[in-house]
Amino acid sequence: QVQFVESGGGLVQPGGSLRLSCAASGFTFSRYFMSWYRQAPGKERELVAGISATGDSTNYGDFVKGRFTISRDNTKNTVYLQMNNLKPDDTALYYCKVAYWYRDYWGQGTQVTVSS
């Protein structure tokens, strides 16, 4: 079964940093494009970042403004999201996602809260 274990969320002050991890299992991780999404209260779920199967191509939501970096380690079946200079508007539940061949699979989400 396709499963994700997301970690790294927490409470940080504005300007702080977090590194989210999503450990995947149940599929051939290295074959698939992986993404991070987030959803804040009262807002639609939005794309944060995506990375190609080999890690050679990435894309980001417009709000990132160079603050976030997505990466992956296919030897560890893990995708990461390094988040720097966090802002209160970054507060959300962050999910990793794979566009599997017949459906999307989502992680359980890890909470990121940016507050003083």
Side-chain angles (χ1 to χ4, degrees):
Q1 62 273 19
V2 175
Q3 291 184 332
F4 301 114
V5 178
E6 298 166 340
S7 61
L11 174 64
V12 296
Q13 294 183 334
S17 297
L18 286 173
R19 190 192 194 205
L20 307 184
S21 298
C22 174
S25 62
F27 67 103
T28 306
F29 178 80
S30 62
R31 295 181 182 173
Y32 290 91
F33 191 99
M34 295 293 300
S35 301
W36 286 96
Y37 284 74
R38 71 185 188 185
Q39 188 166 24
K43 298 181 65 177
E44 292 187 352
R45 189 170 296 187
E46 62 183 348
L47 173 70
V48 178
I51 186 166
S52 63
T54 60
D56 61 339
S57 180
T58 59
N59 62 279
Y60 296 92
D62 290 340
F63 61 86
V64 170
K65 303 292 187 181
R67 298 179 297 124
F68 295 0
T69 302
I70 189 171
S71 62
R72 67 192 295 160
D73 185 344
N74 285 345
T75 69
K76 296 181 171 64
N77 285 2
T78 301
V79 61
Y80 306 95
L81 183 69
Q82 178 67 47
M83 304 186 294
N84 298 323
N85 192 24
L86 284 161
K87 305 177 185 298
D89 284 348
D90 295 320
T91 296
L93 194 63
Y94 284 71
Y95 303 88
C96 63
K97 188 205 80 173
V98 60
Y100 204 54
W101 73 275
Y102 66 94
R103 60 161 288 184
D104 293 343
Y105 284 91
W106 296 84
Q108 81 284 359
T110 184
Q111 179 67 41
V112 172
T113 302
V114 185
S115 176
S116 298

